[in-house]
Amino acid sequence: MIPETAVLLLFVAASLLSVLSSRLHLPYTVALVLGGLLLGALHLFHTPVLTHDLVFNLFLPGLIFESAYHLSASAMWRDRLAIFGLAVPGVFLSMVVTAYVFLWSSEYLPHLSGAVIPLAVALVFGAAVAATDPISVVAIFRKLMAPERLTFMIESESLLNDGTAIVFFSLFLALAEGKVVSIAHLGIDFVSEVGGGALLGLVIGWLSSEVIKRVDDGMVEITITILAAYGSFLLAIQLGYSGVIATVVAGLLCGNYGAQKGMTASVRMAVNIFWEYIGFALNSLIFLLVGLTINLLDLIHIWALILAAYVAVTIARAAVVFGMGAILSRTRAKIPLSWNFVLMWGGIRGALSMVLALSLPIGLPHRELLINLVFGVVLLTILVQGLSISPLARMLKVLGKNESDQKTEVQRLRIFLAQADLHELEQLQKEGLRDQRALKALTRYFEAEQQEASNQLQQLDKPDSNKILQGDFVRLYRRILLSRKEKINQARSEGLLNDISAEQLIVDIDAQLLEIASQPEAVFARMNDVEEGKARA
């Protein structure tokens, strides 16, 4: 069977699994992996093999750019302490903890080679499974309206820790192959690869954005974003820099600068839809291939070691997340304790870990064992954590609104829309250019819709009206703070405020935005106490 037919059949399978996962309320990525395992066991048709070149040349640039393009650079900078802390020192700590916990536990378990696993090889394993791939987690959280900051942290951390993990993987691999590498050399290489990638992404992202600003053709602008995505990644790899970091920076620039300054609203919508589909297509294919690549029989033979490795990875993730949470507890980037549990359990591993394992050189000691261990850990994180992350978040009361809150919001929005429609009809009546009978008929219809929505709103059970009040308060407060930030930047651009004073004011606003994102109840209670105190006075 020709590869084109195999890819077509994979898309058919992905579409069917998407419908099935929706009906069964399964995370889409879990359904894809299970579907891939089933197709692999049945051997219905030959499929493309999940290789290093396939992932790095086709999947990774598109997936990374799509995520970075839709991220807010200002929000990432505002939460930089938590995000960069988890993605850089956190990833390194995760690798080391994973390696040592796995080495300690493996002493008590049988393994295939019967020899002691060297520390350098264990560090390679730690680096391979360090990068998180929480696609299913983010999809679940967006659907169930989890706190925006929590969803943003999981997605942006994943983007950056991919680059960190790849760089450390190559450095630890050199150690495992017997090359003499000093700590200073490791540090210099890391800074060089990450810094070079960031600089290259900055240049390509800026050039792409400047071209977009000077072009007024939607198809061309979409093409430029494709060139920025794949060009930044492949060029960085050719120059010895981090392709992931280059693409992240290019995507952030194109999405936050090029799209906002150079695209019309219609073109911006077209580009968004294009990249959303690319993200869906690439994710569908890569998770199906993950399932097709895993051989369950090979994993069953070393199930005890895989379980030990999974426990090591989970302990390492917990140490990083709770350690970072403790460090940030006294800063403006404080992370609520319940979020720490979700961040820890949301550290699902995916295709990148498997591809790094497959790229290990043939002569590396324990190569086959490492590949099977990585595959086993990936499978366990997807199935165990992917299926349980939503119940865990619900139990910790992290996920957003209940059914009553959602119905209330729907009826309130229906009232607002009907009022806006009636106002527009009133303006059209004054113009005298339309048939008055048609306008009156539409007016009666929307008045009835408004009344129906009002009646529905009154009938809804509202056991916790204070929660609705709090939600409105948080949204309004955030809107006012963002408006203040725009006014400060405008004052600075007009010379009414110097840079130092402007930065001080912006830092204070950023701190307030972080506080209402992670502790809305505390902010609401504090301001409510102030209001009640004024009333008593």
Side-chain angles (χ1 to χ4, degrees):
M1 183 178 291
I2 59 173
E4 292 82 356
T5 307
V7 172
L8 180 62
L9 290 173
L10 287 176
F11 273 116
V12 172
S15 301
L16 294 175
L17 288 167
S18 176
V19 175
L20 187 63
S21 65
S22 179
R23 297 282 178 86
L24 298 177
H25 302 289
L26 279 175
Y28 181 47
T29 51
V30 174
L32 287 171
V33 172
L34 290 174
L37 288 169
L38 180 61
L39 288 174
L42 295 175
H43 300 290
L44 296 177
F45 56 90
H46 295 290
T47 60
V49 179
L50 192 65
T51 64
H52 180 275
D53 289 342
L54 181 64
V55 171
F56 274 68
N57 294 335
L58 177 62
F59 290 109
L60 209 52
L63 289 172
I64 290 170
F65 187 88
E66 187 270 334
S67 294
Y69 182 85
H70 291 104
L71 284 180
S72 167
S74 60
M76 183 177 281
W77 180 250
R78 185 163 61 239
D79 218 355
R80 60 191 178 277
L81 291 177
I83 293 169
F84 287 93
L86 289 170
V88 183
V91 167
F92 179 77
L93 178 62
S94 176
M95 296 173 189
V96 175
V97 172
T98 298
Y100 276 99
V101 173
F102 173 65
L103 282 179
W104 172 78
S105 61
S106 64
E107 292 179 5
Y108 304 94
L109 296 167
H111 50 78
L112 297 180
S113 65
V116 176
I117 299 175
L119 174 60
V121 174
L123 287 171
V124 171
F125 167 73
V129 294
T132 57
D133 190 3
I135 295 167
S136 58
V137 175
V138 171
I140 292 169
F141 281 10
R142 285 176 177 166
K143 182 179 179 181
L144 299 177
M145 303 190 72
E148 183 180 346
R149 184 192 174 203
L150 176 60
T151 305
F152 184 83
M153 285 175 62
I154 290 175
E155 187 170 17
S156 52
E157 179 221 343
S158 174
L159 271 180
L160 295 176
N161 69 25
D162 282 356
T164 307
I166 292 171
V167 172
F168 276 119
F169 177 82
S170 62
L171 298 177
F172 289 147
L173 184 57
L175 285 174
E177 291 178 316
K179 299 177 183 177
V180 179
V181 182
S182 65
I183 299 297
H185 187 260
L186 284 173
I188 293 171
D189 281 354
F190 176 79
V191 173
S192 173
E193 289 190 42
V194 172
L199 182 60
L200 184 62
L202 188 68
V203 171
I204 292 178
W206 179 79
L207 288 175
S208 301
S209 299
E210 290 299 315
V211 174
I212 287 171
K213 287 168 62 177
R214 289 162 175 77
V215 173
D216 190 19
D217 187 319
M219 296 299 102
V220 174
E221 292 174 65
I222 289 175
T223 304
I224 291 169
T225 61
I226 296 172
L227 293 173
Y230 286 86
S232 58
F233 191 94
L234 298 176
L235 184 58
I237 294 295
Q238 291 293 324
L239 296 175
Y241 301 138
S242 171
V244 173
I245 299 298
T247 306
V248 167
V249 175
L252 285 170
L253 268 175
C254 287
N256 290 269
Y257 175 60
Q260 301 303 320
K261 302 292 184 181
M263 294 181 186
T264 62
S266 59
V267 171
R268 191 157 57 242
M269 182 179 296
V271 175
N272 287 342
I273 292 172
F274 170 81
W275 278 106
E276 284 175 8
Y277 173 72
I278 291 297
F280 166 79
L282 294 179
N283 278 319
S284 299
L285 289 177
I286 200 167
F287 276 96
L288 266 176
L289 291 175
V290 165
L292 285 161
T293 305
I294 292 174
N295 188 327
L296 287 177
L297 292 178
D298 290 341
L299 304 187
I300 291 172
H301 290 151
I302 56 166
W303 68 268
L305 264 182
I306 289 174
L307 187 60
Y310 173 70
V311 171
V313 169
T314 306
I315 290 173
R317 176 71 178 174
V320 167
V321 170
F322 285 98
M324 188 59 61
I327 293 172
L328 298 176
S329 61
R330 298 186 180 277
T331 70
R332 62 186 177 89
K334 179 180 179 181
I335 303 172
L337 182 61
S338 60
W339 289 19
N340 286 329
F341 285 99
V342 177
L343 280 170
M344 182 270 289
W345 204 242
I348 295 172
R349 273 61 177 179
L352 178 60
S353 295
M354 294 176 61
V355 168
L356 290 177
L358 290 171
S359 69
L360 292 171
I362 300 297
L364 185 74
H366 309 284
R367 180 180 184 272
E368 292 302 319
L369 178 61
L370 285 180
I371 291 174
N372 287 324
L373 285 175
V374 171
F375 281 22
V377 167
V378 169
L379 185 60
L380 282 177
T381 59
I382 290 174
L383 296 183
V384 176
Q385 293 167 224
L387 289 171
S388 59
I389 185 70
S390 179
L392 175 68
R394 286 187 184 279
M395 184 182 70
L396 295 171
K397 299 181 179 179
V398 170
L399 294 183
K401 304 165 177 126
N402 57 36
E403 188 177 352
S404 176
D405 293 338
Q406 292 174 4
K407 288 180 178 178
T408 299
E409 288 188 348
V410 168
Q411 299 309 325
R412 287 169 66 176
L413 188 60
R414 285 183 65 199
I415 293 172
F416 168 77
L417 292 174
Q419 288 175 341
D421 295 336
L422 288 170
H423 178 72
E424 185 174 354
L425 288 170
E426 185 180 347
Q427 296 300 115
L428 292 172
Q429 283 180 339
K430 292 178 181 179
E431 291 176 3
L433 298 176
R434 274 83 173 178
D435 191 308
Q436 294 296 312
R437 292 171 297 178
L439 290 170
K440 288 180 180 178
L442 284 170
T443 299
R444 287 194 297 271
Y445 174 79
F446 288 118
E447 285 175 345
E449 184 183 52
Q450 180 183 0
Q451 186 60 48
E452 181 194 0
S454 298
N455 294 337
Q456 294 262 354
L457 189 61
Q458 290 176 359
Q459 293 172 7
L460 282 173
D461 181 27
K462 300 176 194 167
D464 191 5
S465 59
N466 197 51
K467 186 177 179 181
I468 298 172
L469 171 62
Q470 177 185 303
D472 285 343
F473 165 82
V474 168
R475 284 187 288 271
L476 288 170
Y477 187 28
R478 184 174 183 274
R479 179 174 178 172
I480 290 170
L481 288 174
L482 291 173
S483 176
R484 278 189 174 188
K485 200 170 180 179
E486 288 182 7
K487 290 172 183 174
I488 292 170
N489 285 324
Q490 184 178 354
R492 175 164 58 180
S493 65
E494 293 177 2
L496 301 175
L497 199 65
N498 62 49
D499 288 343
I500 296 176
S501 299
E503 285 302 322
Q504 288 175 344
L505 291 170
I506 287 174
V507 165
D508 182 55
I509 290 175
D510 282 343
Q512 294 175 70
L513 285 168
L514 280 177
E515 188 180 21
I516 63 171
S518 55
Q519 304 174 72
E521 298 88 354
V523 177
F524 175 70
R526 186 174 68 243
M527 291 203 168
N528 202 35
D529 289 344
V530 171
E531 185 63 29
E532 289 178 357
K534 287 183 179 179
R536 285 194 296 270

